[in-house]
């Protein structure tokens, strides 16, 4: 590419001639506008800058940005610019760029916010999000009351479809994860228990572990990533497309029409999926027991049956139902709170998954302590 | 000449998002049967005013009266009752994407009437045929064009034979012919249904073709700076901003008299 050049000469003591030559296009490195500043410092009497472009062979936005910088410099030094010799296109674009003045007060300024202020802002945001969450839970409770009294309005076909999506269609992933969790649990247990010749207790370990807690937790985590995220994305997209506004203006409660069927579906499906995950986890343990510990199938099942009590099942099923409600609430809450842009939907989805998983772990801790206190 | 009956009265309305005031002190009246235009430059808060008028955004100050009844100081049930008089066509159409066009139009009817599925089906077919979408009953929103989505949205907005139709940028994203057809449809619906129509738009062709009353919102002063018949505003307004807007910036500033605000 032909190089560019910038030269200076003086017409008289008050006039600086700036000569543009060569190819002023991207690809060539532009000179620094401070070169002109230096010349002005050298010749303080200059009151007028005249641009000369007889040897200019090409130009694009690079020349324009350079000229705009010179314009700003001239303006701050009260120097008159003479641009008649510049190519007509350049002159027109410069005029166009300066036609609409900058809207005052609209420019975003980046200022360094003190750490105390940032902490305060975060606390306010956290408090607001707690209030929003409480508000949402309250609205969900009202919608549930309306459901109980037969006043809630939603499409049954929607409920059935969501049940299918978060129930039957989740079976493959729940199967895979549960078998693997059972397998891992048995594998870790087997190594330790073999030292004491107590391999048979692998069945107890896997059985109680899966039925009481792990099946529900793992199913909850799977549903948080799969269904909770999907709820947030669906509702977030509906916000973007004004579909939720359309429901509101028709007097249809989005809580009843959108949130209720999703919560009901997960509340109903999570215990069933958790039960299924129990079986798959035990199957995973059985694979390790039979293949590594020389246990036979009947022996394994008998030991599992002996170890796992009905109370373990109930605790697992109760936990699963609670997790179902939490995942649905988190997904729907974040979706309904979503902003009206593609990135906001992405943030809502991420936030739904994080909120779901955190609430599952917290809820599990609470359930475990309560069960311990109640001796269940 | 028929006497004008106020249908919607906007009183000292100030709309804001948190502490950011978008527009303040708006006062105007929409008469029954009007095609009322809310106009102004992009980003001037037109749609925000509309959101407040249709019950989606509580104003920071002021109120809106429908047939003399206050909307924002009413109980929730009374608000719902007022909102049942509305039909809203959103900028994007806002069709529920998981439902077919027929289901979209049928949903409000199912929610508010005890009609049989057959009767609802007949009304749905009628509404879709009114907007030229007969035969598209089983299509999903993702399967039709932008213009068709707008028309389907209009069919849904008309589902409950509303007294007031709100349109948010109806011509946005439409080619000139489709936009013209939609304008004609709006006039036809007003004439045949006797509905009051409120349109948010900055499309000059639409403003002059359909509007008989209007308010001009200014982003700089954050309030209304003119109101009245758009054609009269063009002929008589002395405000530079209004004239510039109504003439696509080609207005004679001398004619406007230079009252720049």
């Amino acid at each position: 590419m032909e190089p560019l050049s910038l030269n200076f000469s003086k017409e008289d003591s008050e006039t600086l001639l700036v000569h543009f030559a060569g190819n002023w296009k991207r690809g060539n490195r532009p000179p620094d506008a401070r070169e002109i500043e230096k010349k002005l410092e050298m010749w303080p009497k200059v009151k007028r800058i005249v641009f000369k472009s007889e040897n200019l062979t090409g130009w694009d936005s690079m020349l324009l940005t350079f000229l705009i910088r010179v314009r700003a410099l001239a303006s701050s030094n009260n120097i008159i610019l003479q641009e008649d010799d510049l190519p007509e296109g350049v002159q027109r674009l410069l005029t166009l760029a300066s036609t609409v003045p900058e809207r005052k007060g609209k420019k975003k300024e980046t200022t360094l916010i003190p750490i105390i202020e940032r902490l305060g802002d975060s606390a306010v945001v956290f408090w607001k999000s707690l209030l929003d969450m409480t508000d949402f839970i309250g609205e969900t409770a009202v919608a549930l009351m309306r459901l109980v009294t037969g006043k809630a309005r939603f499409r049954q076909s929607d409920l059935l479809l969501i049940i299918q999506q978060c129930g039957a269609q989740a079976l493959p992933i729940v199967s895979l994860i549960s078998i693997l969790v059972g397998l891992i649990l048995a594998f870790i247990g087997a190594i330790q228990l073999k030292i004491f010749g107590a391999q048979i207790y692998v069945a107890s370990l896997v059985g109680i572990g899966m039925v009481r807690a792990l099946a529900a937790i793992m199913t909850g985590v799977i549903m948080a990533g799969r269904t909770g995220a999907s709820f947030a994305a669906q509702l977030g997209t509906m916000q973007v497309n004004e579909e939720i506004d359309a429901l509101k203006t028709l007097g249809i409660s989005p809580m009843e029409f959108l949130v209720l069927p999703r919560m009901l579906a997960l509340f109903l499906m999570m215990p069933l999926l958790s039960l299924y995950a129990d079986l798959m986890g035990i199957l995973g343990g059985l694979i390790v027991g039979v293949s590594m510990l020389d246990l036979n199938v009947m022996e394994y099942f008998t030991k599992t049956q002996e170890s796992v009590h009905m109370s373990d099942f109930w605790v697992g099923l109760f936990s699963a139902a609670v997790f179902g409600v939490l995942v649905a609430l988190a997904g729907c809450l974040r979706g309904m709170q979503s902003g009206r842009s593609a990135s906001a939907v992405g943030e809502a989805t991420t936030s739904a998954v994080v909120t779901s998983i955190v609430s599952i772990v917290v809820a599990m801790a609470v359930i475990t302590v309560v069960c311990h206190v109640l001796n269940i | 000449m028929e006497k004008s009956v106020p249908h919607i009265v906007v009183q000292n309305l100030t709309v804001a998002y948190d502490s950011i005031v978008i527009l303040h002190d708006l006062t105007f009246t929409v008469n029954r049967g009007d095609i009322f235009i809310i106009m102004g430059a992009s980003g001037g808060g037109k749609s925000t005013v509309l959101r407040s008028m249709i019950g989606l955004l509580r104003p920071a100050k002021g109120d809106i009266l429908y047939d003399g009844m206050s909307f924002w100081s009413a109980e929730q049930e009374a608000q719902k009752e007022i909102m049942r008089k509305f039909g809203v066509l959103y900028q994007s159409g806002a069709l529920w994407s998981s439902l077919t066009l027929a289901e979209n139009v049928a949903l409000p009817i199912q929610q508010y009437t005890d009609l049989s599925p057959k009767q609802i089906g007949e009304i749905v077919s009628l509404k879709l045929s009114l907007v030229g979408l007969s035969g598209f009953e089983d299509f999903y929103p993702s399967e039709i064009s932008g213009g068709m989505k707008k028309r389907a949205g209009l069919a849904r907005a008309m589902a409950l034979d509303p007294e007031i139709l709100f349109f948010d940028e109806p011509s946005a994203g439409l080619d000139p012919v489709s936009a013209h057809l939609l304008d004609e449809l709006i006039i036809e619906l007003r004439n045949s249904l006797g509905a009051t129509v409120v349109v948010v738009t900055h499309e000059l062709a639409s403003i002059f073709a359909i509007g008989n009353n209007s308010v001009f919102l200014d982003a700089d002063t954050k309030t209304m700076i003119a109101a009245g018949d758009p054609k009269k505003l063009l002929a008589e307004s002395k405000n530079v901003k209004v004239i510039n807007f109504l003439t696509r910036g080609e207005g004679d500033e001398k004619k406007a008299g230079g009252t720049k605000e």
Side-chain angles (χ1 to χ4, degrees), chain A residues 52-315:
Chain A
K52 292 285 179 189
S53 62
E54 59 268 25
N55 295 321
L56 185 69
T57 55
W59 60 273
D60 62 10
S61 301
M62 198 181 81
L63 176 64
L64 291 170
T65 50
F66 182 83
L67 289 169
I68 287 169
R69 283 201 297 272
V70 177
R71 271 185 164 195
L73 185 67
S75 165
S76 60
N77 288 293
N78 292 323
I79 292 171
I80 299 162
L81 285 180
Q82 194 175 322
E83 298 167 338
D84 310 350
D85 194 48
L86 290 173
E88 200 185 335
V90 174
Q91 290 183 48
R92 282 185 177 183
L93 287 172
L94 283 174
T95 310
L96 194 61
S98 57
T99 305
V100 181
E102 185 180 314
R103 286 268 286 272
K104 278 175 189 165
K106 289 289 175 186
K107 203 168 196 171
K108 286 188 179 173
E109 285 176 17
T110 45
T111 48
L112 197 65
I113 302 166
I115 192 157
I116 298 289
E117 197 178 327
R118 271 189 279 170
L119 274 172
D121 284 346
S122 302
V124 169
V125 168
F126 179 70
W127 177 245
K128 273 187 180 171
S129 86
L130 273 183
L131 288 180
D132 286 347
M133 208 179 279
T134 314
D135 198 31
F136 188 81
I137 291 169
E139 283 184 48
T140 311
V142 171
L144 271 173
M145 286 300 292
R146 286 178 62 85
L147 176 75
V148 172
T149 53
K151 289 178 184 168
R153 295 174 189 164
F154 61 83
R155 285 162 35 107
Q156 286 188 351
S157 57
D158 283 352
L159 175 63
L160 294 175
L161 185 69
I162 299 166
I163 282 179
Q164 187 195 353
Q165 285 170 348
C166 67
Q169 289 179 3
L171 286 176
I173 183 78
V174 171
S175 307
L176 177 71
I177 300 294
S178 304
I179 287 178
L180 290 176
V181 168
L183 211 121
I184 293 164
L185 203 60
F187 204 77
I188 295 168
I191 295 166
Q192 295 302 315
L193 292 169
K194 215 171 180 179
I195 301 170
F196 306 105
Q199 303 87 302
I200 185 66
Y201 289 104
V202 162
S204 306
L205 173 72
V206 173
I208 296 171
M210 287 304 294
V211 170
R212 202 174 167 91
L214 279 175
I217 291 177
M218 291 317 294
T219 312
V221 170
I222 294 166
M223 297 315 273
R226 188 184 177 277
T227 309
S230 148
F231 287 175
Q234 283 169 3
L235 300 188
T237 311
M238 288 180 83
Q239 283 281 19
V240 175
N241 293 338
E242 301 175 303
E243 291 174 47
I244 292 178
D245 286 348
L247 281 175
K248 285 180 188 167
T249 43
L250 277 170
I252 300 171
S253 161
M255 296 303 294
E256 290 177 21
F257 198 78
L258 300 172
V259 176
L260 213 50
R262 284 169 172 77
M263 210 173 71
L264 272 180
L266 262 187
F267 177 73
L268 294 172
M269 285 302 102
M270 268 292 290
L272 295 179
L273 286 172
S274 176
L275 204 60
Y276 177 73
D278 289 344
L279 292 175
M280 290 295 114
I282 291 169
L283 184 66
L286 177 76
I287 293 168
V288 173
V290 171
S291 61
M292 281 182 60
L293 306 174
D294 300 327
L295 299 173
N296 69 45
V297 177
M298 276 316 293
E299 216 177 348
Y300 190 93
F301 269 118
T302 311
K303 193 65 195 168
T304 304
Q305 216 172 2
E306 275 175 24
S307 313
V308 180
H309 301 113
M310 276 313 284
S311 60
D312 298 323
F313 265 110
W314 291 125
V315 170

Side-chain angles (χ1 to χ4, degrees), chain B residues 8-259:
Chain B
I8 310 168
V9 179
V10 175
Q11 287 181 330
N12 297 318
L13 191 77
T14 296
V15 283
Y17 287 113
D18 293 326
S19 59
I20 302 165
V21 173
I22 308 296
L23 288 159
H24 62 87
D25 299 311
L26 306 180
T27 298
F28 55 86
T29 300
V30 182
N31 292 317
R32 195 169 281 278
D34 267 359
I35 297 185
F36 189 92
I37 310 286
I38 299 176
M39 59 182 170
S42 301
K46 303 186 292 294
S47 295
T48 308
V49 173
L50 187 80
R51 284 176 66 77
S52 198
M53 290 178 82
I54 59 177
L56 292 176
L57 179 70
R58 180 173 279 281
K61 215 178 78 186
D63 202 353
I64 299 164
L65 312 182
Y66 289 93
D67 286 320
M69 274 181 66
S70 162
F71 182 85
W72 285 110
S73 55
E75 294 288 319
Q76 206 176 4
E77 281 308 309
Q79 282 186 346
K80 277 189 180 174
E81 217 31 58
I82 295 173
M83 284 165 82
R84 280 187 60 179
K85 296 176 184 173
F86 300 169
V88 185
L89 172 61
Y90 291 87
Q91 195 167 349
S92 59
L95 295 171
W96 298 303
S97 46
S98 59
L99 310 185
T100 62
L101 298 195
E103 287 169 335
N104 261 283
V105 181
L107 185 65
I109 309 172
Q110 287 163 349
Q111 293 295 317
Y112 288 111
T113 66
D114 296 322
L115 297 174
S116 68
K118 187 170 177 275
Q119 287 170 312
I120 291 175
E122 284 169 0
I123 296 174
V124 168
S125 295
L126 168 73
K127 301 291 174 183
L128 284 173
S129 62
L130 282 176
V131 295
L133 285 175
S134 193
F136 286 88
E137 282 83 352
D138 296 327
F139 279 62
Y140 282 92
S142 59
E143 296 171 328
I144 57 174
S145 70
M148 289 162 90
K149 277 183 196 163
K150 287 254 166 107
R151 282 187 279 149
L154 181 53
R156 187 183 65 188
M158 295 190 303
L160 292 168
D161 298 321
E163 287 180 24
I164 308 167
L165 277 164
F166 292 96
F167 292 81
D168 189 8
E169 306 275 9
S171 350
L174 296 186
D175 63 85
V177 177
S178 303
H180 174 67
L181 289 175
L182 194 62
D183 286 347
E184 285 191 339
L185 193 58
I186 291 171
I187 295 171
E188 192 54 46
L189 288 173
R190 192 275 305 261
N191 293 342
S192 51
L193 296 173
T196 301
V197 179
V198 178
V199 184
V200 164
T201 187
H202 51 224
E203 295 286 336
L204 287 179
S206 292
I207 290 169
F208 292 122
I210 64 175
N212 70 318
N213 199 355
S214 70
V215 63
F216 185 92
L217 306 178
D218 177 41
D220 294 329
T221 54
K222 293 186 175 180
T223 191
M224 54 187 279
I225 55 172
D229 184 337
K231 295 176 202 80
K232 278 191 180 169
L233 284 180
L234 176 65
E236 297 168 7
S237 178
K238 301 287 183 201
N239 191 299
V240 174
K241 282 180 185 171
V242 177
I243 293 299
N244 273 339
F245 178 86
L246 292 175
T247 57
R248 299 188 63 184
E250 292 161 7
D252 181 359
E253 294 202 4
K254 281 177 193 166
K255 178 193 153 193
T259 54

Side-chain angles (χ1 to χ4, degrees), chain A residues 322-340:
Chain A
V322 170
F323 298 163
V325 171
L326 290 175
V327 169
L329 274 178
C332 293
L333 168 72
R334 297 307 180 204
M336 296 290 279
Q337 284 178 333
S338 168
R340 292 169 186 265

Side-chain angles (χ1 to χ4, degrees), chain A residues 35-51:
Chain A
E35 281 188 36
I36 297 186
E37 205 171 352
K38 282 178 195 164
K39 295 288 175 199
L40 293 176
E41 282 168 10
M42 201 187 300
W43 299 313
K45 285 184 180 172
V46 168
K47 298 281 178 224
R48 197 163 67 103
I49 295 176
V50 179
F51 295 132

